[in-house]
Amino acid sequence: MKKPKALLITPNDSTFTRVDAKLLSESCELTTYNLMQSEGRLDYLLRILGIISEILLGGYQLIFVWFADYHAAVAVFLAKLLGLPCGVFIGGYDAVCYPELQMGVYCSPFRARFASFALKNCDLIISNHEALLDSSNTFYNPAGHSEGVYRLIKDLKTPAKVIYNALTVDVPDAELITQERRDVFLAVGTTPRYLDIFNKGLDLVAQMAVLLPERKFEIVGIDPKWQDEFVQLLGGELPENLTLRGYIPHSEVLALMRISRYYIQASISEGMPNALMEAMLMGCVPIGSNVAGIPTVIGDYGVVFDKRDAESLKQALIKATETELHPLEISKHVATNFSQERRGELLQQAVKELLK
């Protein structure tokens, strides 16, 4: 049977969108269209305009779009005009609104209209976790903070399918993750904006270095231009037991994970963080906030803490040091439950549903 001709629109060329392109290619004759969003607004706008000719002239039978944003509205409008089935992936910032962190498409009424149009008029919403559909974040606010597209978009009735993220790196050999490890708590998070430091919980991690001076901590990903301001949060002096690093290549991040004993994911808002899955795949004992997909990924193979405060994280770190979990157990858990094969099978089902 001939594969349907499909288009996958992605905001950037990232590891997880490349994985999805590979998986969708198993059931579709796929073309990927990269919007190069990270290159700047002008490039992004020009590439959005390019979507018009790509869809009108491409002869596609099926359209997929990653993230509900400006570009998704354009793609969904054209798909609807041509009578083409269209699925929109949501993954995090398109399912939340945190004005104080300037995070989430729904913080801007103008941008929210585009995201809402896309999700109301597509044929299927594909979410990497159920929390992005309808949930309340009590980690950030004990009284609850509404999240999920069904809460944020009035009268949204589009059907949704939850398909968990898949690992984007290969399972390491056993000898690599059973080697001697540094007794270090590692945290990784990209910070193109200063406020990303708080969303990723890196401020909390830094506080742990002050509260637990006998332990070592390493934070990777804080842009050097934010580091002086970040140190001011700690009283103007970097603790001796805390190492700060800016961006480093992905291969070096994985190498750090393979030799670090613990990994902290203290985010305020997430979908299903790839960094957490990678750290666990490399055998780190995970400590994570009770947010969206974080406890789903950790399962019984780490420690989850429920409140965004220093004492809660401190107790979670102490508990993690008392665990007898073996790196191979942790790695096997993630490799088994978040494989590309599993995501691929569910994406194939999504393709069939859209083409019915």
Side-chain angles (χ1 to χ4, degrees), residues 164-172 272-284 286 294 296-302 327-342:
Y164 291 158
N165 279 356
L167 290 161
T168 60
V169 296
D170 295 332
V171 178
M272 291 193 74
N274 286 318
L276 173 63
M277 292 199 296
E278 290 171 356
M280 293 179 67
L281 187 69
M282 299 303 150
C284 295
I294 293 174
T296 302
V297 174
I298 292 176
D300 296 326
Y301 295 85
L328 283 175
E329 292 180 279
I330 299 168
S331 182
K332 183 179 179 181
H333 159 71
V334 174
T336 302
N337 290 285
F338 304 101
S339 66
Q340 291 187 19
E341 290 76 14
R342 179 171 291 193

Side-chain angles (χ1 to χ4, degrees), residues 15 18 168-170 188 247-258 274-275 278 282:
T15 53
R18 285 198 295 272
T168 60
V169 296
D170 295 332
V188 178
Y247 169 83
I248 61 174
H250 188 226
S251 59
E252 292 183 27
V253 172
L254 295 176
L256 278 177
M257 291 172 171
R258 282 195 297 270
N274 286 318
E278 290 171 356
M282 299 303 150

Side-chain angles (χ1 to χ4, degrees), residues 221-238:
I222 295 183
D223 194 303
K225 65 187 175 187
W226 310 131
Q227 290 187 13
D228 286 345
E229 191 172 352
F230 182 68
V231 171
Q232 292 305 312
L233 295 174
L234 304 174
E237 187 175 345
L238 188 69

Side-chain angles (χ1 to χ4, degrees), residues 146-181:
S146 288
E147 295 188 359
V149 293
Y150 288 120
R151 291 197 183 200
L152 294 169
I153 300 175
K154 186 178 179 180
D155 299 324
L156 177 63
K157 296 181 172 62
T158 307
K161 189 178 187 71
V162 175
I163 305 179
Y164 291 158
N165 279 356
L167 290 161
T168 60
V169 296
D170 295 332
V171 178
D173 293 334
E175 61 264 25
L176 283 177
I177 58 175
T178 53
Q179 64 185 314
E180 186 176 351
R181 291 177 178 264

Side-chain angles (χ1 to χ4, degrees), residues 4 24 27-28 62 64 347-355:
L24 286 169
S27 52
C28 300
L62 182 59
F64 287 102
L347 285 176
Q348 287 183 28
Q349 291 179 20
V351 169
K352 292 176 182 177
E353 290 173 19
L354 286 165
L355 290 174

Side-chain angles (χ1 to χ4, degrees), residues 45-269:
L45 174 61
L46 292 175
R47 294 290 288 174
I48 288 177
L49 294 175
I51 290 175
I52 299 172
S53 59
E54 182 68 38
I55 292 179
L56 291 178
L57 303 176
Y60 297 108
Q61 298 164 268
L62 182 59
I63 308 293
F64 287 102
V65 189
W66 245 111
F67 295 117
D69 209 336
Y70 296 113
H71 59 273
V74 174
V76 170
F77 173 79
L78 292 168
K80 196 173 181 69
L81 183 68
L82 298 175
L84 302 175
C86 183
V88 175
F89 292 91
I90 59 172
Y93 78 94
D94 49 357
V96 300
C97 179
Y98 289 86
E100 60 276 32
L101 296 173
Q102 298 174 23
M103 185 178 67
V105 299
Y106 307 98
C107 295
S108 162
F110 182 69
R111 195 177 183 186
R113 289 192 186 97
F114 285 84
S116 299
F117 176 88
L119 294 176
K120 281 186 172 183
N121 289 279
C122 69
D123 298 285
L124 182 66
I125 298 168
I126 304 172
S127 174
N128 64 23
H129 194 268
E130 47 268 31
L132 300 184
L133 299 175
D134 188 344
S135 63
S136 181
N137 187 339
T138 56
F139 170 78
Y140 177 66
N141 182 350
H145 180 92
S146 288
E147 295 188 359
V149 293
Y150 288 120
R151 291 197 183 200
L152 294 169
I153 300 175
K154 186 178 179 180
D155 299 324
L156 177 63
K157 296 181 172 62
T158 307
K161 189 178 187 71
V162 175
I163 305 179
Y164 291 158
N165 279 356
L167 290 161
T168 60
V169 296
D170 295 332
V171 178
D173 293 334
E175 61 264 25
L176 283 177
I177 58 175
T178 53
Q179 64 185 314
E180 186 176 351
R181 291 177 178 264
R182 305 178 306 156
D183 197 26
V184 170
F185 288 94
L186 176 67
V188 178
T190 55
T191 59
R193 306 174 312 133
Y194 181 67
L195 290 172
D196 293 326
I197 290 171
F198 302 94
N199 177 47
K200 295 296 181 182
L202 302 181
D203 58 321
L204 271 185
V205 176
Q207 289 179 52
M208 295 304 101
V210 177
L211 294 176
L212 296 170
E214 71 280 10
R215 295 287 178 178
K216 293 182 180 179
F217 297 82
E218 184 165 357
I219 297 175
V220 175
I222 295 183
D223 194 303
K225 65 187 175 187
W226 310 131
Q227 290 187 13
D228 286 345
E229 191 172 352
F230 182 68
V231 171
Q232 292 305 312
L233 295 174
L234 304 174
E237 187 175 345
L238 188 69
E240 291 184 2
N241 61 332
L242 173 60
T243 301
L244 289 187
R245 303 180 70 176
Y247 169 83
I248 61 174
H250 188 226
S251 59
E252 292 183 27
V253 172
L254 295 176
L256 278 177
M257 291 172 171
R258 282 195 297 270
I259 62 170
S260 299
R261 190 171 304 280
Y262 309 101
Y263 183 82
I264 305 173
Q265 186 80 50
S267 306
I268 290 172
S269 176

